[in-house]
Amino acid sequence: MSKILVIAEHLDGKLNSSTARAVSAAAAVKPEAIDVLVLADNVDAIAADAAKIDGVSRVLTVARAENAHPLAAVLAPQIAKAADGYSHVFVPSTTFGKDVAPRAAALLGVAQLSDVMSVEGTHTFKRPIYAGNAIVTVEAEPSHVVVATIRTASWPAAASGANNAPIEALTLDVTLPSHTRFVELKQGASDRPDLQSASKVVSGGRGVGSKENFDIIFKFADKIGAAVGASRAAVDAGYVPSDLQVGQTGKIIAPELYMAIGISGAIQHLTGIKDAGTIVAINKDGEAPIFEVADFGLVGDLFKILPELEAALG
Amino acid sequence: MKILVGYKRVVDYNVRIQVKPDGTGVVTDGVKLSANPFDDIALEEALRLREKGVAEEVIVVGIGPADLTAHLRNGLAMGANRAIHVVTAEAMQPLTAARTFQKLIEKEQPGLVILGKQAIDDDANQTGQMLAALWDRPQATFASKVEIADGKATVTREVDAGLETIEVELPAVITSDLRLNEPRFIKLPDIMKAKSKPIDVIEFASLGIDSGDHLKTTHYAAPPKRSKGVMVKDAAELVAALKQKGLL
């Protein structure tokens, strides 16, 4: 039978919802037990949150001052040690999980699965490659522990509230390195939603024409409470900084609503938005490839249409 | 200080990926191949560190078939001092790639290894982290800014919560994110110069690495297709449609 260890992600003493998503994936394996491991300096509030998640059997905590910040070099040896006796170790595929899981896997001497999007069996999984342009089925040998990151966009957060799993403190005999030190975390100061996790995204492309013109995209995004993105062409042209780039080499996003404004729809852009719920395209060229994937297309001048949309929204 | 840079060849980011009808892989024959974009950024960062006088030598490392030479020449034309070509016809999983780098590190003793945060073919995002673990050295992944001084690297990392800065003792592994820099273009005279730069060729089999591939990819499939939607005639119709779906 399978026993799964889920590594909790947390920030500022709060459990991140990515943890409950990883628990969902763990439940899909139909294991005998799902334990959540909380590595932190102050574990209590985080552990209490984790104990409420449906399907969690136990919450294991390691409270150490060194665990105050999520440094992979510090956490990975503890995860590798705690993994003893488990058939699977699941970590959310966030920057936290992507940083720490491969390091833990290498310490365990095992390969790692990235971005598990579906569970087909205890040791059979599906994951995207080529930015989601192909989906592969991967089989893991049951003789090795399966270390996997869980693609959060593919899994709903497991429900929370009805459970009251026991919380147990764990003592791990591990020497931790001091070669890596946390300096600071600057959290996004913008009032706009974060591009990676926003439910609505409005992106502008080369058709916007200039840095100054991009204000029309920001203004419309603010009107509907959306994050702002951009195509590579717009970034390369210097209209916006590259952290707004959506696409294969930028951010791969899956908002409920994606509005592509003045974006022709190069392949590298389309691969970044293929998991969006609803795609809207506004472009003056009716032949633009973006219309091939758009749920709603509108051909016309974006400088005329955006004010009209704002007016229609009231 | 020496800097080792991972320089992987992948299907160009502008190619529309096609899954073979029998599900055994993706079509790579006759498809344009290029340097992994994140590896170009990794190489650019190494070159800038050399130009600042932080490093003396930049070595690009490629793992792949015999015809990888032309690709490595591009890395040399960009400015690397020399290249190491680990020859194998087999596709490489990240753990095996990390073990390969570990072997090269034993020989080269670099002060820094810079890899792309992920390759845009398998999207694994693992090799740098695994290498740092095997090497028992620090890792600074998803780097958007790197400063080296006094035997330490101060690295700003692009994390979901914002920008995290960490300090790591050297030697260390850094993986590059998109915002780290903009890679330079290769100029014609550099291509000529690159022809005389050395490429060390090492047979993968001679390294004695346990491939440890206990993950087997058994099937490739195309993702579910998005069906073509509807064209609306004006802004009012669009707003109505989005409101009906509860999106506005």
Side-chain angles (χ1 to χ4, degrees), chain B residues 6-28:
Chain B
Y7 203 59
K8 187 175 182 180
R9 185 179 64 175
V10 298
V11 174
D12 188 83
Y13 69 83
N14 267 321
V15 170
R16 188 178 291 270
I17 297 299
Q18 304 280 357
V19 175
K20 291 179 186 169
D22 62 1
T24 58
V26 301
V27 177
T28 52

Side-chain angles (χ1 to χ4, degrees), chain A residues 99 114 131 139 184 186 276 297, chain B residues 123-124 141 163 165 216 226 232:
Chain A
D99 190 38
S114 293
E139 284 180 17
E184 62 170 354
K186 280 192 191 147
Chain B
D123 286 334
T141 53
L163 294 173
T165 304
K216 299 247 179 313
R226 289 192 79 96
V232 294

Side-chain angles (χ1 to χ4, degrees), chain B residues 74-169:
Chain B
N74 284 339
L76 294 170
M78 228 174 113
N81 299 76
R82 60 188 172 95
I84 299 174
H85 179 184
V86 179
V87 184
T88 173
E90 302 295 317
M92 186 111 326
Q93 287 192 7
L95 182 59
T96 317
R99 285 173 171 157
T100 305
F101 272 93
Q102 192 189 7
K103 290 280 182 189
L104 301 179
I105 284 169
E106 286 168 14
K107 181 157 169 267
E108 299 287 348
Q109 300 289 319
L112 192 59
V113 178
I114 312 182
L115 305 179
K117 73 164 180 180
Q118 73 191 73
I120 62 164
D121 48 7
D122 63 12
D123 286 334
N125 195 333
Q126 299 174 6
T127 306
Q129 297 88 313
M130 289 181 154
L131 173 61
L134 299 175
W135 193 15
D136 197 16
R137 292 304 308 165
Q139 68 188 48
T141 53
F142 325 142
S144 64
K145 192 176 172 200
V146 175
E147 279 170 2
I148 309 256
D150 308 325
K152 288 179 298 200
T154 304
V155 180
T156 303
R157 308 177 54 235
E158 298 205 6
V159 297
D160 294 334
L163 294 173
E164 182 192 70
T165 304
I166 61 171
E167 190 181 86
V168 297
E169 290 170 13

Side-chain angles (χ1 to χ4, degrees), chain A residues 11 71-72 94-95 98-99 102-103 106 109-112 114 127 129-141 144 178-188 200 224 232 242-243 245 248-250 256-257 267-268 274 276-280 291-299 308-309 312-313, chain B residues 11 13-17 19 26 37-38 93 95 99 120-126 129-130 132-134 136-139 141-142 152 157-169 178-179 214-221 223 226 228-235 238-239 241-243 245 247-248:
Chain A
L11 182 65
L71 298 171
T94 53
T95 52
K98 289 171 182 176
D99 190 38
R103 189 163 182 124
V110 297
Q112 189 229 289
S114 293
R127 64 170 298 256
I129 59 170
Y130 288 101
N133 285 303
I135 310 297
V136 289
T137 305
V138 180
E139 284 180 17
E141 276 175 23
H144 293 76
S178 58
H179 53 46
T180 304
R181 288 174 290 277
F182 174 85
V183 178
E184 62 170 354
L185 173 65
K186 280 192 191 147
Q187 300 199 40
K200 294 176 202 167
I224 64 167
R232 184 177 172 129
S242 60
D243 55 320
Q245 186 178 324
Q248 183 169 19
T249 53
E256 287 166 36
L257 173 64
I267 297 152
Q268 99 98 23
K274 61 195 318 147
T278 297
I279 297 176
V280 173
F291 289 116
E292 294 298 316
V293 299
D295 299 280
F296 298 105
L298 178 51
V299 178
E308 284 173 4
L309 284 173
L313 285 165
Chain B
V11 174
Y13 69 83
N14 267 321
V15 170
R16 188 178 291 270
I17 297 299
V19 175
V26 301
F38 293 105
Q93 287 192 7
L95 182 59
R99 285 173 171 157
I120 62 164
D121 48 7
D122 63 12
D123 286 334
N125 195 333
Q126 299 174 6
Q129 297 88 313
M130 289 181 154
L134 299 175
D136 197 16
R137 292 304 308 165
Q139 68 188 48
T141 53
F142 325 142
K152 288 179 298 200
R157 308 177 54 235
E158 298 205 6
V159 297
D160 294 334
L163 294 173
E164 182 192 70
T165 304
I166 61 171
E167 190 181 86
V168 297
E169 290 170 13
L178 202 60
R179 271 199 278 178
H214 45 262
L215 294 180
K216 299 247 179 313
T217 299
T218 54
H219 186 72
Y220 292 73
R226 289 192 79 96
K228 196 173 156 139
V230 295
M231 300 302 285
V232 294
K233 67 176 193 311
D234 58 22
L238 179 58
V239 168
L242 294 178
K243 278 195 169 155
K245 294 192 87 173
L247 291 166
L248 284 179

Side-chain angles (χ1 to χ4, degrees), chain A residues 253-278:
Chain A
I253 57 174
E256 287 166 36
L257 173 64
Y258 185 76
M259 298 186 72
I261 317 288
I263 291 177
S264 63
I267 297 152
Q268 99 98 23
H269 187 75
L270 299 183
T271 59
I273 60 167
K274 61 195 318 147
D275 290 335
T278 297

